């Protein structure tokens, strides 16, 4: 029996997700470098730019962006 895969887009790249998989699981299976970035403090957002939980399940046709902020938390005023 063939499992139906869901088309998902991450940073403009088409990926195939198992139904019920989270963004973190999808990245772990198909883009480990991007998962490391996400776990290292990068943010994940949906197509509208709203933050999402990396452990929430992805959906068919979902568009996600994982990006690191240029701002640093350690920055202080002189």
């Amino acid at each position: 029996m063939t499992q139906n895969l869901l088309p998902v887009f991450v940073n403009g790249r088409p990926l195939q997700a198992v139904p019920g998989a989270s963004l973190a699981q999808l990245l772990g299976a198909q883009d480990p470098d991007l998962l490391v970035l996400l776990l290292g403090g990068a943010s994940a957002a949906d197509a509208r730019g709203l933050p999402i939980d990396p452990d929430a399940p992805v959906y068919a046709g979902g568009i996600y962006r994982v990006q690191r902020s240029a701002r640093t938390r350690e920055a202080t005023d002189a």
Side-chain angles (χ1 to χ4, degrees):
M1 177 177 189
T2 303
Q3 187 170 11
N4 293 331
L5 297 176
L6 307 175
V8 177
F9 299 88
V10 180
N11 289 4
R13 187 172 146 221
L15 301 176
Q16 297 293 316
V18 175
S22 69
L23 180 60
Q25 291 170 325
L26 173 64
L27 294 178
Q30 297 187 35
D31 196 337
D33 293 334
L34 199 52
L35 177 61
V36 168
L37 185 66
L38 183 61
L39 296 176
S43 62
D46 65 10
R48 300 168 293 169
L50 299 175
I52 63 158
D53 181 354
D55 293 325
V58 296
Y59 59 90
I63 300 172
Y64 304 95
R65 177 153 310 275
V66 177
Q67 60 189 15
R68 193 173 31 196
S69 174
R71 297 179 184 185
T72 59
R73 294 180 188 193
E74 295 85 30
T76 57
D77 291 334

